[in-house]
Amino acid sequence: MFKSDYEIKKELCEVGKKIYNDGFVAANDGNFSVQIDKDTYFVTPTGVSKGFMTPDMICKVDGQGNLKEANGQWKPSSEFKMHLKVYQQRPDVKAVVHAHPPIATSFAIAGIPLDKLIMPEAIIFLGAVPIAQYGTPSTMEIPESLEPYLQDYDAILLANHGALSFGCDLNTAFFRMESTEFYAKLLMYARLLGGEKEIPCGEVKKLVDLRKQFGVPGKHPMEKLCPGCYAGDDTCSMSPTDANEKYGVESSAAYHGFQPLPSQVCPTPSNSGNKDIEGIVAEVTKKVLEQMNK
Ligand SMILES: [Zn+2]
């Protein structure tokens, strides 16, 4: 699927508007990026509100975060190191979003991970959201703090800071940020109402099986969510938290012979017909131009 540099930059600006209008960032906060290949990325600029970006502000950088093309006064986000860590460790990831959605960030400040299995959509599409240790922004501390979580999760809270989400394309990464905030909001309200009741392990297993059927791209921390009951028993009525306490996260995953869910590639969007034609047209145009230049 061919996309011009301009189209990619425009998409980053559109996501910037959504993130700003949703209140997921204030002032000039937040940053996001898209990977084209191992040495080419588009990154949002530093020092500008993500709600008011125009395509000319987006920076094209290499695998070290250096500008590939001079871009006037615009410099790439100093947090790009954090994005690079994700791209390096997760070859399936093609886009990374960092924001400070207020409720999820409050969980990150309170030190409470989003690991309760409370609603089907969150279990199927998001899994859970752990908290990475606090680090000083723009240093290597944050990238390093992500390492323990990158192979099991698609969204991570940054202690006393915000959230990071990623996926096989920009929309997937953005939706994971949106889902993280929504999940945090539900958990907060449930706690105000006296506390959440988790979905029993046997039911969680059915939801994870659905995730496999749907071919949802990304990683899922099944063995960490519900190890005690991942024995294939759909009738287990224990809550995931009780099961973890009874069996222990590590030992019960090993006992049940848990296999991590395979990482999937991004599904082709249903409207991909037109996009394929665009790609073919672009390819043909390129070939014709090459012929003419001979
Ligand atoms: Zn931040």
Side-chain angles (χ1 to χ4, degrees):
M1 183 169 71
F2 176 81
K3 270 186 194 161
S4 68
D5 285 9
Y6 182 77
E7 282 174 305
I8 297 164
K9 290 176 175 185
K10 229 173 82 182
E11 282 178 6
L12 281 158
C13 295
E14 279 161 17
V15 164
K17 279 194 195 98
K18 283 192 223 168
I19 283 185
Y20 185 74
N21 292 341
D22 285 348
F24 287 4
V25 288
N28 296 343
D29 299 348
N31 40 74
F32 22 106
S33 65
V34 169
Q35 184 192 55
I36 306 304
D37 57 50
K38 282 218 155 31
D39 202 45
T40 313
Y41 302 82
F42 287 99
V43 190
T44 53
T46 189
V48 62
S49 168
K50 304 306 167 290
F52 299 94
M53 295 187 299
T54 48
D56 55 296
M57 297 176 183
I58 304 292
C59 300
K60 191 177 194 177
V61 303
D62 66 16
Q64 275 71 49
N66 302 312
L67 275 173
K68 281 186 106 163
E69 288 168 5
N71 203 27
Q73 65 183 108
W74 308 110
K75 299 273 172 291
S77 166
S78 61
E79 295 281 28
F80 184 60
K81 298 178 187 75
M82 168 169 82
H83 300 220
L84 269 179
K85 175 64 86 181
V86 181
Y87 292 121
Q88 283 159 4
Q89 309 242 323
R90 286 283 300 272
D92 59 310
V93 167
K94 302 294 172 214
V96 176
V97 171
H98 167 56
H100 308 152
I103 302 172
T105 303
S106 300
F107 276 82
I109 291 168
I112 304 170
L114 300 170
D115 61 356
K116 297 298 174 213
L117 301 178
I118 54 168
M119 79 174 295
E121 282 80 356
I123 296 168
I124 295 174
F125 296 105
L126 191 62
V129 189
I131 307 181
Q133 196 185 317
Y134 180 77
T136 306
S138 88
T139 68
M140 284 307 289
E141 287 174 14
I142 296 184
E144 280 158 17
S145 75
L146 301 174
E147 285 206 22
Y149 307 103
L150 288 171
Q151 297 313 319
D152 294 307
Y153 299 91
D154 291 329
I156 300 171
L157 296 179
L158 311 175
N160 294 80
H161 180 169
L164 189 70
S165 61
F166 30 93
C168 55
D169 60 25
L170 186 58
N171 249 329
T172 303
F174 168 66
F175 281 155
R176 285 184 177 146
M177 183 61 69
E178 205 172 43
S179 299
T180 297
E181 178 67 351
F182 193 72
Y183 174 18
K185 191 187 271 185
L186 295 178
L187 195 56
M188 181 186 72
Y189 284 142
R191 288 183 178 184
L192 289 173
L193 294 170
E196 70 278 6
K197 303 259 185 293
E198 280 181 290
I199 297 173
C201 279
E203 295 298 326
V204 170
K205 184 183 176 295
K206 290 182 203 165
L207 296 172
V208 175
D209 288 345
L210 275 181
R211 178 186 166 101
K212 285 186 208 164
Q213 278 175 35
F214 294 163
V216 178
K219 302 271 185 172
H220 197 284
M222 182 61 203
E223 88 279 30
K224 293 184 175 65
L225 297 182
C226 201
C229 296
Y230 201 71
D233 181 4
D234 287 0
T235 61
C236 178
S237 59
M238 202 182 281
S239 89
T241 300
D242 291 346
N244 287 356
E245 270 168 25
K246 185 170 174 197
Y247 297 98
V249 172
E250 300 299 332
S251 62
S252 64
Y255 174 76
H256 293 310
F258 169 78
Q259 293 292 318
L261 297 181
S263 180
Q264 312 258 4
V265 291
C266 252
T268 319
S270 53
N271 62 348
S272 66
N274 289 337
K275 299 226 172 85
D276 285 348
I277 290 167
E278 281 170 29
I280 293 164
V281 170
E283 196 58 32
V284 169
T285 310
K286 204 176 125 199
K287 291 250 159 66
V288 170
L289 286 173
E290 277 169 10
Q291 287 296 324
M292 284 167 69
N293 288 336
K294 267 183 189 166

